[in-house]
Amino acid sequence: MTNITVAGTGYVGLVTGVCLAEVGHSVTCVDNIQDKIDLLNKGISPIYEPQLDELIVKNSQAGKLAFTTDYEGAYAQSDVIFIGVGTPENEDGSANLNFVYTVARQIAENVQRDCLVVIKSTVPIGTNDKVEVFIKNHLKHDVNVEVASNPEFLAQGTAVRDTLNASRIVIGVESNYAKEVLTGIYEPFNQPILSMNRRSAEMVKYASNDFLALKISFVNDIANLCEAVGANIEDVTNGMSYDARIGNKFLNPGIGYGGSCFPKDTKALHWLSEEEGYVLRTVKAAIEVNEKQRFKLIKKARQDFPTFQGLKIAVLGLTFKPGTDDLREAPSIPNVRLLLNQGAQVHAFDPVGVENFKKIYPTQVVYEDSPEKALEDADLCFVFTEWDDIKTIDLNLFREKMKTPYVYDGRNCYSLSAAKEAGINYQSIGRPDVKEFKVKEEIVL
Ligand SMILES: NC(=O)c1ccc[n+]([C@@H]2O[C@H](COP(=O)([O-])OP(=O)(O)OC[C@H]3O[C@@H](n4cnc5c(N)ncnc54)[C@H](O)[C@@H]3O)[C@@H](O)[C@H]2O)c1
């Protein structure tokens, strides 16, 4: 049996380890944070991700899944080591590879068998080549180590489902040995395996994420134009989506993409392209549109409220999207910061994101355990995340609970007609009140 170790028990590493065990492999997950490993050994997931807790308990009890901080012991016995540690953004926009190289060094110093190291973390093109050289240069034992790329495409909120039913598995390999090992590991998943060289595999990941980010920014750009010309973005994207070449995914306008991937992966590829003397103009535009889009709601609210000083503001939704407790690059963060800096009292509701938000604002924000409580006596309300608990609110609540029912919805959760019927001042993204638009008289010369 192949001994598999996964380095990093975050969204990618933990889900990978658990799903590999679920299909029958023997897996050890390593993390350097003792608290996370303690929780995992009690059968509790440190991250919110549907299905994960059940699978952790099931596979741990079956003896297929173990958790440890003892990387020395784990790497010494491994045939295959997946690296799933973070690659956050450096201040200049480039990818920070410190975590990847720390693990690479730990592997080099402890591995005692021939071993395939598989990089799942999103890394700049050429990193797999460099990590392989780095490990070979730091080996303490006389063993063969090869590096393969295996980028991850799961989405937070559906990570387990995405892994067990992936649309494709991309492997970047430079030898038949690496291809055979990875094909064998992924065989039980019964998913299409696309094999290519390491640099192409690294590029597939960036190109995919940046394309999705671009799609979001494009829709937001068109939504903004809809507001200026009296078109409705929902009708527009619906009309577009019937074209099979366009499809109906990622066409929702909003206050911009967030999360741990799109913001950093767009910047990292843009940075890398500039290093190579090439400017990725499309990706640059996606980044610029996204930066501005984040404050779209505040801009709208300022037209009704010249100052937020002393106002009670309800915030519904904190996470960067529903289905996750992750707040990395969530648009709620800069928006709440701005509101607090301007002297507003912020009362926030989120079904799972509160504990993480408290790490940023432990006392400055009042956390409420229901939308109703957040709305009580509020002067205005911002909707930042389209959680079901928020989408399904009875719109009359805004009128009944708030001091003045001004609602700025960054995720187009409610229909314009329902908002009108409920008697609230409602603004959303790309859906202007078309009655305000008069036909401009043509000047005939
Ligand atoms: N989150 C996603 O949706 C997603 C999707 C696809 C790809 N990715 C990529 O996967 C990588 C990981 O992302 P994530 O969101 O899972 O990160 P994360 O921050 O949630 O998890 C990283 C984990 O690695 C651990 N770690 C750090 N140094 C370590 C070490 N030396 N040994 C063992 N563990 C160590 C951390 O404690 C943490 O638990 C990134 O490159 C990211 O871009 C993420």
Side-chain angles (χ1 to χ4, degrees):
M1 184 182 273
T2 312
N3 270 349
I4 299 177
T5 300
V6 180
T9 62
Y11 293 87
V12 165
L14 182 57
V15 174
T16 300
V18 168
C19 291
L20 286 170
E22 174 67 10
V23 300
H25 295 296
S26 168
V27 182
T28 303
C29 294
V30 175
D31 206 287
N32 56 350
I33 299 182
Q34 188 66 51
D35 288 353
K36 284 194 182 192
I37 295 300
D38 291 346
L39 274 180
L40 287 162
N41 278 324
K42 287 183 199 146
I44 302 167
S45 169
I47 52 169
Y48 174 83
E49 198 59 60
Q51 288 177 270
L52 200 50
D53 288 82
E54 301 97 272
L55 293 187
I56 289 170
V57 173
K58 179 181 156 197
N59 288 290
S60 303
Q61 283 174 353
K64 290 187 281 172
L65 187 60
F67 300 100
T68 183
T69 51
D70 173 21
Y71 65 85
E72 285 128 326
Y75 299 154
Q77 306 303 322
S78 299
D79 304 300
V80 179
I81 303 170
F82 284 85
I83 300 182
V85 295
T87 48
E89 182 185 326
N90 280 320
E91 259 182 44
D92 61 0
S94 60
N96 179 336
L97 297 175
N98 286 352
F99 296 117
V100 171
Y101 275 99
T102 300
V103 174
R105 181 182 285 277
Q106 291 168 338
I107 292 172
E109 290 176 354
N110 291 287
V111 71
Q112 291 181 26
R113 314 174 169 187
D114 290 354
C115 176
L116 183 66
V117 173
V118 184
I119 302 187
K120 262 211 164 294
S121 303
T122 304
V123 291
I125 292 86
T127 302
N128 276 257
D129 296 358
K130 290 180 191 160
V131 170
E132 185 172 279
V133 172
F134 180 89
I135 292 178
K136 284 182 189 298
N137 285 344
H138 291 84
L139 282 172
K140 289 273 157 69
H141 295 89
D142 184 19
V143 291
N144 277 322
V145 175
E146 189 175 326
V147 172
S149 166
N150 173 216
E152 179 53 63
F153 300 98
L154 62 77
Q156 286 173 225
T158 50
V160 172
R161 196 180 72 201
D162 292 348
T163 306
L164 294 175
N165 309 285
S167 53
R168 81 296 204 191
I169 290 163
V170 171
I171 58 172
V173 290
E174 303 295 333
S175 74
N176 277 337
Y177 152 75
K179 186 174 175 178
E180 273 166 25
V181 170
L182 278 171
T183 310
I185 288 174
Y186 280 116
E187 208 235 310
F189 287 87
N190 202 17
Q191 294 155 356
I193 297 177
L194 312 180
S195 176
M196 56 194 75
N197 70 22
R198 292 191 292 221
R199 286 170 181 247
S200 304
E202 291 168 326
M203 185 60 108
V204 171
K205 177 60 194 171
Y206 276 107
S208 301
N209 267 5
D210 289 18
F211 182 74
L212 293 173
L214 221 138
K215 213 171 166 189
I216 295 171
S217 277
F218 178 78
V219 169
N220 285 335
D221 227 7
I222 296 293
N224 296 343
L225 188 59
C226 282
E227 291 184 5
V229 299
N232 181 314
I233 188 68
E234 261 167 19
D235 293 333
V236 172
T237 50
N238 189 36
M240 290 164 68
S241 69
Y242 278 75
D243 186 329
R245 293 170 304 177
I246 297 172
N248 61 4
K249 301 271 173 12
F250 273 71
L251 286 183
N252 299 329
I255 46 167
Y257 54 77
S260 66
C261 294
F262 292 172
K264 81 172 172 62
D265 293 348
T266 43
K267 286 183 208 154
L269 195 63
H270 178 246
W271 188 91
L272 184 118
S273 73
E274 283 200 326
E275 280 290 287
E276 298 298 328
Y278 185 78
V279 181
L280 271 176
R281 288 186 178 77
T282 47
V283 174
K284 189 166 182 254
I287 297 168
E288 285 167 4
V289 168
N290 200 57
E291 301 278 321
K292 278 211 158 179
Q293 197 69 10
R294 295 180 147 212
F295 295 108
K296 185 85 190 156
L297 288 186
I298 297 257
K299 215 171 156 195
K300 283 175 190 269
R302 275 222 188 90
Q303 296 185 353
D304 301 317
F305 298 88
T307 171
F308 300 124
Q309 173 77 38
L311 297 185
K312 180 177 172 188
I313 298 184
V315 165
L316 302 184
L318 296 168
T319 56
F320 82 93
K321 67 172 185 178
T324 181
D325 58 350
D326 199 350
L327 285 166
R328 287 177 283 186
E329 297 286 331
S332 64
I333 299 171
N335 278 287
V336 167
R337 188 188 310 127
L338 191 150
L339 295 172
L340 291 172
N341 285 345
Q342 297 205 352
Q345 306 156 29
V346 175
H347 289 243
F349 163 78
D350 189 285
V352 303
V354 166
E355 286 316 308
N356 281 338
F357 212 79
K358 278 184 184 166
K359 291 177 194 158
I360 309 168
Y361 291 114
T363 54
Q364 302 89 325
V365 171
V366 180
Y367 297 97
E368 307 285 8
D369 57 15
S370 71
E372 288 84 343
K373 285 195 190 146
L375 292 174
E376 196 82 55
D377 267 337
D379 294 280
L380 64 154
C381 168
F382 289 112
V383 178
F384 291 140
T385 321
E386 66 276 33
W387 284 100
D388 278 344
D389 305 32
I390 293 167
K391 277 192 336 197
T392 53
I393 289 176
D394 173 359
L395 296 194
N396 291 311
L397 273 182
F398 289 112
R399 195 190 59 251
E400 289 162 12
K401 296 277 173 192
M402 294 175 72
K403 197 195 288 171
T404 48
Y406 280 84
V407 181
Y408 305 91
D409 177 2
R411 302 296 179 188
N412 290 2
C413 291
Y414 314 114
S415 81
L416 293 181
S417 55
K420 194 165 205 171
E421 222 167 89
I424 59 179
N425 293 305
Y426 178 67
Q427 295 215 40
S428 55
I429 307 288
R431 301 187 299 175
D433 185 349
V434 280
K435 293 209 182 75
E436 283 177 11
F437 286 85
K438 306 250 173 356
V439 178
K440 280 187 196 152
E441 221 174 280
E442 291 288 337
I443 300 169
V444 184
L445 294 174

